Amino acid sequence: MEDRKYHHGDLRAALLHAAEAELAERGVEAFSLRQVAKRAGVSHAAPAHHFGDAQGLLTALAAEGFRRFLATQAEREARANPDPHAQLVAGGLGYIDFALARPALFRLMFGSDRPAFGDPALCAAADAAYDHLQAQVAAAGGGVADVAALWAQAHGLADLLMSGRLKPLCDLAPADRDATLTVLLSRCFPAA
Amino acid sequence: MEDRKYHHGDLRAALLHAAEAELAERGVEAFSLRQVAKRAGVSHAAPAHHFGDAQGLLTALAAEGFRRFLATQAEREARANPDPHAQLVAGGLGYIDFALARPALFRLMFGSDRPAFGDPALCAAADAAYDHLQAQVAAAGGGVADVAALWAQAHGLADLLMSGRLKPLCDLAPADRDATLTVLLSRCFPAA
DNA sequence: TGTACATCAGTGAACGCGCGTTCACTGATGTAC
DNA sequence: TGTACATCAGTGAACGCGCGTTCACTGATGTAC
């Protein structure tokens, strides 16, 4: 990354990166375009060029978040047994991994009104994540209720762990935690 | 409520009420003390007298929220079969009732950093809710893992329903929805 | 019952701040000839 | 290879706004005597 160029090169990506850091540091509630610009080392009017306003930036960031979310799940799944049930558990663990690794982004995606959730790119990214879950459940022989049960369990665990509730689980070593989470997720399996 | 008095009578309660309405209408993210004062029909410096600052007000509101949260669960439980498992389901349904009836408050309590969660009154109110769940699970013969499973399921369902995800469930009539939710919560029962 | 005084709740004007937005601008890049 | 011009990305000064905070104040209430 050169510093002295008048044209940045990839300011769009730099702004998204700065926005995520800003989100993590100050929370969705205190998020401001001027701070993001400052962090990216750029004039405060520059972001408007790429994203219009704060909502535009947050929308793009949430969409990017859903893509990474799916990628985090895919990582877990790739390392797991190809058996449909093992894949479901892996997906759930990936869900939780993501929430713990990027809590600010997770909260933006699932607990904020600031992104424009009607935006086509954001919808597409969110739908892809949902479709993936649905396909996994179908592969394991489950239906609509199983999707709901698994999603709710993974989401509830992710959200509660992320915000430091569920203390007994928070304090476990990663490996033990994964083992316990596996048991909890398994309870919601499609009935065989 | 008289309007013309110089002294309000119960401004504290009025401000909490206005704050919740404000929260519901504009979201945690745009919450401001001045708007709350305006809504309560009072000068913008008045809230400081009772709550110090915005965080003070939100902390008090969150504490009040936890008390009503517990009350909502108690309503469901009172109408349900006294059998421990039926009581657990009722508690879960009450959890979800609350989230759907007061989404802004729910989000303040579970998805915001703005309240001071170290505040003794807020801690006490939140702990009471947690203790209640723990006692219910114990009565049904469950342990730590069962608490986590049930809490996560209720919380996940509440959060996803509240934010309009889980479309198939959102669209159900209340009675059908309750029946489906009962099945989903039951999957997380303490193993008998 | 009446007066004097302390306390308390709420007022409203003033302040400084960070925000988003606008706009004329300038430096860099790419293309036509 | 060289010049002229259009386009684009980013600048920085200016603006108006709503916010939280402060502070001297005033109206209401309660208590002492």
Side-chain angles (χ1 to χ4, degrees):
Chain A
M1 297 281 175
E2 304 169 46
D3 277 352
R4 298 291 161 216
K5 295 184 7 181
Y6 186 97
H7 281 198
H8 183 283
D10 195 0
L11 183 54
R12 192 190 144 88
L15 286 171
L16 283 172
H17 189 263
E20 192 191 345
E22 201 57 31
L23 218 53
E25 210 166 277
R26 325 212 324 170
V28 199
E29 290 145 4
F31 182 86
S32 98
L33 224 40
R34 273 177 116 108
Q35 279 298 324
V36 171
K38 193 174 180 184
R39 184 182 282 264
V42 107
S43 113
H44 63 261
H49 235 271
H50 292 273
F51 298 102
D53 54 16
Q55 167 154 286
L57 208 182
L58 290 173
T59 301
L61 187 55
E64 182 58 29
F66 274 106
R67 276 174 234 121
R68 285 203 283 225
F69 176 65
L70 208 39
T72 305
Q73 292 186 287
E75 274 175 37
R76 276 280 192 176
E77 291 159 11
R79 291 203 303 272
N81 190 308
D83 156 62
H85 279 186
Q87 287 290 302
L88 271 177
V89 169
L93 292 175
Y95 199 114
I96 295 164
D97 284 346
F98 181 83
L100 296 181
R102 305 179 181 273
L105 205 45
F106 184 81
R107 199 168 265 182
L108 179 71
M109 290 154 57
F110 289 106
S112 173
D113 285 332
R114 294 192 72 176
F117 286 100
D119 176 78
L122 177 47
C123 278
D127 287 350
Y130 181 72
D131 291 347
H132 175 70
L133 170 64
Q134 212 162 19
Q136 271 189 321
V137 171
V144 178
D146 301 294
V147 170
L150 266 156
W151 191 7
Q153 186 72 12
H155 184 79
L157 288 169
D159 199 32
L160 293 173
L161 282 172
M162 186 200 77
S163 54
R165 280 141 173 125
L166 275 180
K167 284 279 153 51
L169 275 180
C170 290
D171 300 340
L172 256 40
D176 295 340
R177 212 195 57 206
D178 279 7
T180 306
L181 292 175
T182 297
V183 172
L184 295 176
L185 289 166
S186 300
R187 294 197 188 188
C188 302
F189 265 10
Chain B
M1 300 282 171
E2 304 168 46
D3 278 352
R4 298 292 160 217
K5 297 187 0 183
Y6 187 96
H7 282 200
H8 184 281
D10 195 1
L11 183 53
R12 192 190 144 87
L15 286 172
L16 284 172
H17 188 264
E20 191 191 344
E22 200 58 29
L23 219 53
E25 210 165 275
R26 325 212 322 173
V28 199
E29 290 146 4
F31 182 85
S32 99
L33 224 40
R34 274 177 117 108
Q35 279 297 323
V36 171
K38 193 174 180 184
R39 184 183 282 264
V42 108
S43 111
H44 63 260
H49 234 271
H50 292 272
F51 299 102
D53 55 14
Q55 168 157 285
L57 209 181
L58 290 173
T59 302
L61 187 55
E64 182 58 29
F66 274 106
R67 277 174 233 120
R68 285 204 283 226
F69 176 65
L70 209 38
T72 305
Q73 292 185 287
E75 275 176 36
R76 276 279 192 175
E77 291 159 10
R79 291 203 305 272
N81 191 306
D83 157 62
H85 279 186
Q87 288 290 304
L88 271 176
V89 169
L93 291 174
Y95 199 115
I96 294 163
D97 284 346
F98 180 84
L100 296 181
R102 305 178 182 274
L105 206 44
F106 183 81
R107 198 167 266 183
L108 179 71
M109 292 154 56
F110 289 106
S112 174
D113 286 330
R114 295 192 71 175
F117 285 101
D119 176 78
L122 177 48
C123 278
D127 286 350
Y130 181 72
D131 292 345
H132 176 69
L133 169 64
Q134 212 162 17
Q136 271 189 320
V137 170
V144 179
D146 302 294
V147 170
L150 266 156
W151 192 4
Q153 186 72 12
H155 184 78
L157 288 168
D159 199 32
L160 293 173
L161 281 171
M162 187 200 77
S163 54
R165 278 140 173 124
L166 273 180
K167 284 280 155 50
L169 275 180
C170 290
D171 300 341
L172 255 40
D176 295 340
R177 212 195 58 208
D178 279 7
T180 305
L181 292 175
T182 297
V183 173
L184 295 177
L185 289 166
S186 300
R187 292 197 188 187
C188 302
F189 265 10

